[in-house]
């Protein structure tokens, strides 16, 4: 059963194939951009892994990397089909694959919308994870002699310089914790107590 069956002459078919080929290559560049964003996001999260409260925060960058790679592969295949459809002898081998490919493209677009919604929904837990990790990191700021926490002071200092921030919400967060190491404090002094 054909719905709105249209016949193209050679000139119109060539023009349609060229436009679709151009759109597929634009989609490949978009897939590369999504892949790059996921990679950048993953690297940034790894740099700040000491300040993250849990390891589940890599879900979003992994999804972006996977969807970017899938978009590149699927759109490259679509571009090849469009390019081969310019030659009627090459198009014959793709004719049987065309319907399953279009169904696969439809499924991919639905998956892309679901992935975008998931990434948007994961934004709030990711912010919470970073806030909780930063709060815990501030507690360990003074522990420069403790193995495993000796670089926390440096990590927090670099992060605050890079993002020009102080604390989780503002500088008053530092008033709630003891951030000076015990080895520099004289607890027999009345002022320190």
């Amino acid at each position: 059963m054909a719905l709105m069956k249209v016949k193209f002459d050679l000139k119109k078919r060539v023009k349609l194939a060229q436009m679709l080929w151009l759109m597929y290559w634009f989609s490949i560049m978009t897939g590369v951009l999504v892949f790059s964003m996921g990679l950048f996001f993953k690297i940034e999260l790894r740099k700040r892994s000491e300040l993250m409260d849990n390891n589940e925060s890599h879900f979003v960058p992994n999804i972006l990397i996977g969807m970017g790679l899938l978009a590149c592969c699927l759109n490259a295949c679509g571009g090849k089909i469009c390019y081969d459809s310019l030659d009627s002898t090459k198009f014959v081998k793709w004719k049987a694959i065309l319907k399953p490919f279009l169904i696969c493209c439809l499924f991919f677009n639905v998956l892309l919308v679901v992935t975008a919604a998931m990434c948007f929904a994961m934004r709030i837990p990711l912010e919470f994870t970073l806030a909780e990790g930063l709060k815990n990191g501030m507690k360990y700021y003074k522990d420069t002699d403790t193995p495993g926490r000796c670089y926390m002071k440096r990590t927090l200092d670099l992060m605050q310089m890079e993002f020009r921030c102080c604390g989780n919400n503002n500088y008053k967060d530092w008033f709630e914790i003891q951030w000076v190491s015990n080895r520099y404090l004289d607890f027999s002094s009345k002022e320190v107590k």
Side-chain angles (χ1 to χ4, degrees):
M1 177 179 167
L3 180 66
M4 295 175 43
K5 195 170 186 176
V6 179
K7 290 196 177 222
F8 287 106
D9 61 350
L10 181 64
K11 186 177 178 184
K12 287 183 181 178
R13 193 177 83 216
V14 167
K15 189 171 248 182
L16 178 66
Q18 287 173 340
M19 289 302 295
L20 286 174
W21 181 80
L22 187 66
M23 285 174 46
Y24 273 117
W25 280 105
F26 178 73
S27 297
I28 288 173
M29 292 303 135
T30 306
V32 168
L33 181 67
V34 169
F35 174 77
S36 301
M37 282 180 6
L39 206 56
F40 173 76
F41 196 35
K42 190 166 187 79
I43 290 169
E44 288 298 314
L45 285 175
R46 283 205 184 213
K47 281 199 283 188
R48 289 158 183 79
S49 63
E50 292 176 336
L51 300 175
M52 300 303 282
D53 192 36
N54 60 19
N55 292 330
E56 298 157 7
S57 57
H58 291 280
F59 177 73
V60 173
N62 290 341
I63 287 285
L64 290 175
I65 289 170
M67 289 304 287
L69 286 174
L70 190 60
C72 289
C73 294
L74 193 65
N75 290 316
C77 185
K80 175 72 172 147
I81 291 171
C82 288
Y83 182 76
D84 284 351
S85 69
L86 293 174
D87 185 10
S88 57
T89 57
K90 290 182 182 178
F91 180 69
V92 174
K93 71 177 181 179
W94 291 108
K95 197 168 187 176
I97 299 174
L98 204 54
K99 273 190 183 176
F101 178 74
L102 291 176
I103 292 170
C104 186
C105 286
L106 182 66
F107 176 72
F108 174 73
N109 285 325
V110 170
L111 187 65
L112 197 60
V113 170
V114 169
T115 301
M118 283 176 34
C119 287
F120 185 74
M122 289 296 293
R123 182 180 55 97
I124 294 168
L126 189 62
E127 286 176 9
F128 179 73
T129 297
L130 184 60
E132 198 64 32
L134 185 59
K135 187 169 129 184
N136 290 337
M138 288 170 61
K139 289 178 186 174
Y140 304 130
Y141 185 81
K142 64 180 174 145
D143 298 339
T144 54
D145 297 333
T146 307
R149 295 184 189 151
C150 55
Y151 293 110
M152 188 58 73
K153 179 181 182 330
R154 182 176 181 272
T155 303
L156 275 170
D157 289 344
L158 289 174
M159 189 190 73
Q160 289 181 3
M161 283 187 264
E162 182 179 350
F163 293 110
R164 296 180 185 178
C165 65
C166 190
N168 232 348
N169 299 315
N170 56 29
Y171 68 95
K172 293 179 183 175
D173 294 338
W174 288 100
F175 297 149
E176 298 172 8
I177 60 165
Q178 178 189 344
W179 56 273
V180 178
S181 178
N182 291 343
R183 70 178 172 171
Y184 298 115
L185 299 174
D186 180 17
F187 286 103
S188 62
S189 171
K190 190 166 95 176
E191 288 83 24
V192 172
K193 287 182 181 179

